[in-house]
Amino acid sequence: MRVNFWGVRGSLPAPQLPSQIKSKISAILEQITPEDIASPENRERFLAGLPPWLFGTVGGNSPCVSVTLEDTREFIIFDCGSGMREMGIAMSQEKPKPSRYHIFFSHFHWDHLQGLPFFNPAYDPSVKLDFYSPMQNLEKVLAGQMVAPYFPVHLENMGSQKHFYLMEEPVHVGNVSIQYKKMNHPGDSYSYMVCENGKRFIYATDTELTAPDFMKTEENTAFFEGADMIVIDCQYTLGEAIDKYNWGHSAFSLAVDFAANWGIKHMVMFHHDPTYNDRKLYNILQSARWYIERMNIKGIELTLATEGLEISL
Ligand SMILES: [Zn+2]
Ligand SMILES: [Zn+2]
């Protein structure tokens, strides 16, 4: 399967500020020498050598992650944050364009819904949208954000063919089943697991990890143990997680402990705090790598989720 990240920021979209752009440009100019711009090759080498927090950005859109199945090319979406708008634009350039999307919600907080009204394929009558959630009133909740005075177009007038499913058991998409698990978050959230050709992917955002998540129960073991990849809530530093106890998000170090506890092979740090700039997020990634090394944890690959990131597994 192929995993694409369209929105990685938590709580609300956080675009780059003019002051942040200016400080990146200033920092780059301080490093540059005449030799670095003497030829196109030198320029490319200089740019390639810049750290990612200067030459790029983690991205400011709220959560949207897609999974394309390898065998059937079915298209699965986790959450409809503002990154969904970018995905819709990218999909309109695909040949052939996908004609069906299976859309799953972790929960209904704003940052996981607000991209749907701006998802272009949703206005195409030839497109089928299948929405799923283990939470009640899915259609009503989605329609509720598309009424005056909040938005001029009603959900029912979006054009595409829409179906809404209350998940009471795993759902089958193509030849894979998608399982869900309730997580700890204000008003609850749900994580999802997709398994295809022996590879297991988990999407687990908006969760404040606690002792029960680490317990070797039958349910936890079947869901988490030995997964190939987890996209997991890493919103806070440890200090901030203590300050924001019960806000429903996790410190990156606790997420590392969780991945180690379950022998998960690849952990993708996700749902970045809107107040953290690119430099701070890459520092957190570095801290997480140090933590893995100091704790002598073996076998976890670590990635910071960024907009545009694509991972195959
Ligand atoms: Zn969120
Ligand atoms: Zn939330």
Side-chain angles (χ1 to χ4, degrees):
M1 70 186 92
R2 193 185 74 215
V3 183
N4 288 83
F5 294 81
W6 306 97
V8 299
R9 189 68 65 163
S11 304
L12 85 165
Q16 290 281 297
L17 300 173
S19 59
Q20 291 172 327
I21 303 281
K22 283 177 188 164
S23 72
K24 282 178 198 241
I25 294 170
S26 298
I28 291 169
L29 288 178
E30 272 172 29
Q31 295 181 27
I32 206 161
T33 66
E35 178 70 10
D36 292 324
I37 48 171
S39 70
E41 294 74 30
N42 286 14
R43 196 178 59 212
E44 287 309 309
R45 198 178 314 121
F46 172 75
L47 291 174
L50 288 171
W53 59 86
L54 284 182
F55 191 48
T57 179
V58 164
N61 280 302
S62 65
C64 182
V65 172
S66 65
V67 170
T68 311
L69 296 179
E70 195 172 307
D71 290 348
T72 57
R73 312 303 300 162
E74 292 275 2
F75 212 79
I76 298 164
I77 297 168
F78 295 110
D79 283 333
C80 298
S82 68
M84 193 181 211
R85 189 180 72 90
E86 307 296 335
M87 184 177 66
I89 294 167
M91 290 305 113
S92 67
Q93 276 142 29
E94 290 274 302
K95 288 195 177 58
K97 282 191 272 185
S99 59
R100 189 173 186 185
Y101 298 87
H102 303 272
I103 303 171
F104 295 78
F105 292 90
S106 59
H107 62 318
F108 301 138
H109 284 162
W110 269 345
D111 51 323
H112 301 258
L113 300 184
Q114 62 202 158
L116 181 61
F118 302 92
F119 182 51
N120 287 337
Y123 293 86
D124 181 342
S126 70
V127 167
K128 288 194 178 90
L129 301 181
D130 292 319
F131 295 95
Y132 308 87
S133 169
M135 291 171 149
Q136 300 283 340
N137 300 320
L138 172 58
E139 183 174 2
K140 199 171 152 197
V141 168
L142 296 180
Q145 70 162 353
M146 298 183 68
V147 290
Y150 307 112
F151 197 73
V153 182
H154 284 207
L155 179 69
E156 66 199 41
N157 294 333
M158 279 180 99
S160 52
Q161 304 160 49
K162 292 175 280 300
H163 295 96
F164 303 87
Y165 300 97
L166 175 65
M167 286 180 83
E168 293 176 316
E169 53 188 26
V171 161
H172 288 271
V173 172
N175 54 2
V176 310
S177 83
I178 296 171
Q179 298 184 39
Y180 61 93
K181 191 177 182 310
K182 192 192 274 192
M183 306 299 284
N184 175 38
H185 193 64
D188 296 334
S189 72
Y190 286 85
S191 58
Y192 293 95
M193 185 245 281
V194 185
C195 186
E196 187 188 33
N197 297 330
K199 296 286 182 185
R200 193 144 43 95
F201 167 82
I202 297 171
Y203 178 77
T205 192
D206 294 62
T207 180
E208 186 164 354
L209 296 166
T210 55
D213 296 307
F214 289 76
M215 285 176 187
K216 302 275 175 177
T217 61
E218 206 175 305
E219 189 195 3
N220 279 346
T221 303
F223 202 87
F224 295 117
E225 183 139 69
D228 293 277
M229 183 173 147
I230 189 165
V231 174
I232 190 160
D233 186 322
C234 282
Q235 180 148 345
Y236 299 139
T237 60
L238 184 56
E240 195 144 9
I242 291 166
D243 275 353
K244 294 181 174 170
Y245 172 70
N246 252 346
W247 283 37
H249 301 287
S250 296
F252 71 86
S253 49
L254 192 60
V256 168
D257 284 338
F258 177 81
N261 181 70
W262 291 111
I264 295 170
K265 298 175 188 83
H266 189 169
M267 173 180 140
V268 181
M269 301 163 73
F270 189 71
H271 205 274
H272 309 310
D273 194 89
T275 66
Y276 292 1
N277 64 23
D278 288 317
R279 181 67 189 263
K280 180 161 180 168
L281 289 169
Y282 279 97
N283 283 347
I284 289 174
L285 173 65
Q286 187 63 47
S287 301
R289 290 199 169 124
W290 281 336
Y291 183 70
I292 285 177
E293 205 180 300
R294 294 286 160 89
M295 298 301 284
N296 203 22
I297 296 166
K298 303 281 186 220
I300 299 184
E301 184 182 349
L302 207 56
T303 300
L304 189 71
T306 55
E307 264 178 49
L309 176 69
E310 177 175 306
I311 300 175
S312 293
L313 73 161

